[in-house]
Amino acid sequence: MNQQTIFVINSGSSSLKYQLIEPVSGDVLAKGLAERIGTDRGEVTHIVHGEKHTDTLPLPTHKEALNHIIDLFKENGPDLDHVGLAGFGHRIVQGGWYFKGAAIVNDDVHAKITELCDLAPLHNPAHLIGIDTAMELWPDLPHIAVFDTAFFADLPEKTRTYALDKETAHKYRIRRYGAHGTSHEFVSGTVCDYLGKDTVRQITLHLGNGASACAELGRKAIDTSMGLTPLEGLVMGTRTGDIDPAVVFHLLRKGMNVEEIDTLFNKKSGMLGLCGDNDMRDVWQRRDDGDSDALLALQVYQNRLLKYIGAYTFELGGLDVLTFTAGIGENDARTRYRLCEKLEFIGVKIDKELNENRDPSKSVWRISTEDSKVLVLVVPTNEELAIARQAIRLI
Ligand code: AMP
């Protein structure tokens, strides 16, 4: 059998997403999700050939979840012994200062991911559980860690450095690490492939429930909106994005504790905090129904985006390509239109028809007019495929 596949795992604290991918063609042979791990009401959904198989059962740990996923593969296919399984790709949010690219998991890599839990306390520990469980079940296959931060490891010093006391920053390793790197790398690389050149000044906007902007020269990131953690930058579904740090001191003095502020900024702010909804479809609906909170939330959201596009256009010395991706970027024609309308003075001309009529067969979709000075694209992101490709390259 010549086919080679990669089993991609994205392990969260109470969930585990997976895809079995053929990295060259990008074909997904099967995918699924285990949810509510750690409870007796766990749920595993396995999708193969468009058919969904769902089981509800106790899932005390990730091990039971992965074991049940294996059972679902046995029952519904494909047969993992006959798909040319070459190894595993594990998504890791924080690779800190150690990882500039994907790495085969060994004791040293494992220890470094563990050390970095400090910087990603919600994510890295959960990824390690996924790695440990999969390595226990498949000890003979290579396990590759693919880091969200790797694309930003070589950000220029002037963009990765905060204007914070040097010694404190050094002592606590405080710098801009960025996030969504796998997506920005995939999308900006796809744009370069599409244009057949590596010299473009581009901005990629990953607009999903989490959101970030990235400025790239060709395939290289030069600035990005997420910082030490994925809290900084754009307005997101439930996160504040940029906010005066003095708001933290103020709330502390008013009696809130650190955990409460952390939850407030990460889970109760952004669009949800501004108007009570974090799904953009609901926010638009409410705005159409005349809801003033929804209207203001959309204005704050778009203004923040505009600021970043402006800043990055100046950092890049001009703009050749602007690309939208992720849930909102790929599906929300109105957000794209409203934003691009305001960019007319830098030469952006959006084609209303193209913007509203997606051709799902295309991996790159132009929405600007032929004579637009800035090319505006939609590129559906595919982080799992990017992880599978990085893994197979290393294997
Ligand atoms: P993601 O985090 O990339 O999966 O994006 C999820 C978000 O995409 C949802 O919370 C919605 O806000 C948004 N979204 C998905 N479909 C649409 C749509 N048709 N119109 C507007 N927003 C959408």
Side-chain angles (χ1 to χ4, degrees), residues 320-346:
D320 302 311
V321 191
L322 175 68
T323 307
F324 291 89
T325 193
I328 296 167
E330 291 167 31
N331 298 300
D332 187 349
R334 277 215 270 189
T335 290
R336 291 194 301 260
Y337 189 78
R338 292 288 159 100
L339 191 67
C340 288
E341 244 185 351
K342 299 204 174 75
L343 297 170
E344 259 180 32
F345 77 101
I346 60 162

Side-chain angles (χ1 to χ4, degrees), residues 7-260:
F7 199 109
V8 176
I9 291 184
N10 183 354
S11 176
S13 54
S14 64
S15 68
L16 190 150
K17 288 190 211 152
Y18 63 92
Q19 284 196 10
L20 182 67
I21 299 186
E22 204 285 295
V24 179
S25 65
D27 289 346
V28 177
L29 279 64
K31 63 180 176 179
L33 165 69
E35 290 174 284
R36 295 198 293 269
I37 300 173
T39 75
D40 52 11
R41 296 176 304 109
E43 190 173 284
V44 184
T45 303
H46 181 71
I47 302 171
V48 58
H49 301 310
E51 259 179 52
K52 234 181 189 185
H53 307 271
T54 303
D55 287 340
T56 308
L57 74 166
L59 292 176
T61 69
H62 286 66
K63 190 166 179 186
E64 282 81 10
L66 253 182
N67 268 324
H68 195 73
I69 289 167
I70 296 171
D71 289 343
L72 284 170
F73 269 96
K74 281 186 189 145
E75 284 164 30
N76 308 291
D79 182 346
L80 285 174
D81 292 332
H82 292 96
V83 289
L85 189 56
F88 286 72
H90 296 270
R91 180 199 176 207
I92 313 290
V93 161
Q94 183 54 268
W97 54 95
Y98 285 126
F99 298 102
K100 296 193 173 191
I104 296 180
V105 181
N106 54 24
D107 288 348
D108 176 53
V109 168
H110 195 282
K112 284 173 175 156
I113 299 172
T114 306
E115 187 186 336
L116 293 165
C117 285
D118 197 26
L119 284 175
L122 299 179
H123 294 102
N124 276 26
H127 302 326
L128 283 166
I129 295 172
I131 290 180
D132 293 345
T133 312
M135 285 182 87
E136 205 182 315
L137 291 168
W138 288 277
D140 299 329
L141 285 174
H143 290 259
I144 315 299
V146 179
F147 301 92
D148 261 16
T149 48
F151 188 48
F152 305 117
D154 283 329
L155 277 182
E157 263 196 298
K158 66 181 176 192
T159 57
R160 72 168 192 236
T161 306
Y162 289 114
L164 182 69
D165 164 63
K166 196 173 143 181
E167 266 138 45
T168 308
H170 182 72
K171 182 169 174 195
Y172 296 107
R173 307 272 195 176
I174 295 171
R175 56 158 278 190
R176 181 183 301 287
Y177 291 104
H180 289 154
T182 310
S183 175
H184 287 293
E185 184 174 18
F186 178 83
V187 172
S188 56
T190 303
V191 171
C192 289
D193 292 342
Y194 172 74
L195 296 175
K197 58 180 179 184
D198 277 5
T199 51
V200 277
R201 296 165 297 182
Q202 51 173 330
I203 296 175
T204 46
L205 299 175
H206 178 111
L207 308 179
N209 204 24
S212 60
C214 183
E216 294 106 349
L217 275 175
R219 295 173 195 265
K220 202 169 154 33
I222 63 146
D223 204 352
T224 193
S225 60
M226 284 178 163
L228 176 77
T229 75
L231 181 58
E232 194 181 346
L234 302 175
V235 177
M236 307 181 216
T238 64
R239 287 174 237 165
T240 55
D242 294 337
I243 191 165
D244 183 344
V247 174
V248 179
F249 320 144
H250 185 68
L251 293 175
L252 282 170
R253 289 184 191 116
K254 291 289 174 193
M256 283 180 89
N257 65 38
V258 172
E259 292 311 319
E260 286 166 343

Side-chain angles (χ1 to χ4, degrees), residues 359-384:
D359 178 350
S361 67
K362 287 188 176 154
S363 59
V364 177
W365 166 30
R366 175 171 62 84
I367 60 170
S368 49
T369 60
E370 296 271 1
D371 63 340
S372 177
K373 277 197 198 129
V374 178
L375 182 63
V376 187
L377 302 172
V378 179
V379 175
T381 192
N382 193 336
E383 286 163 288
E384 290 77 16

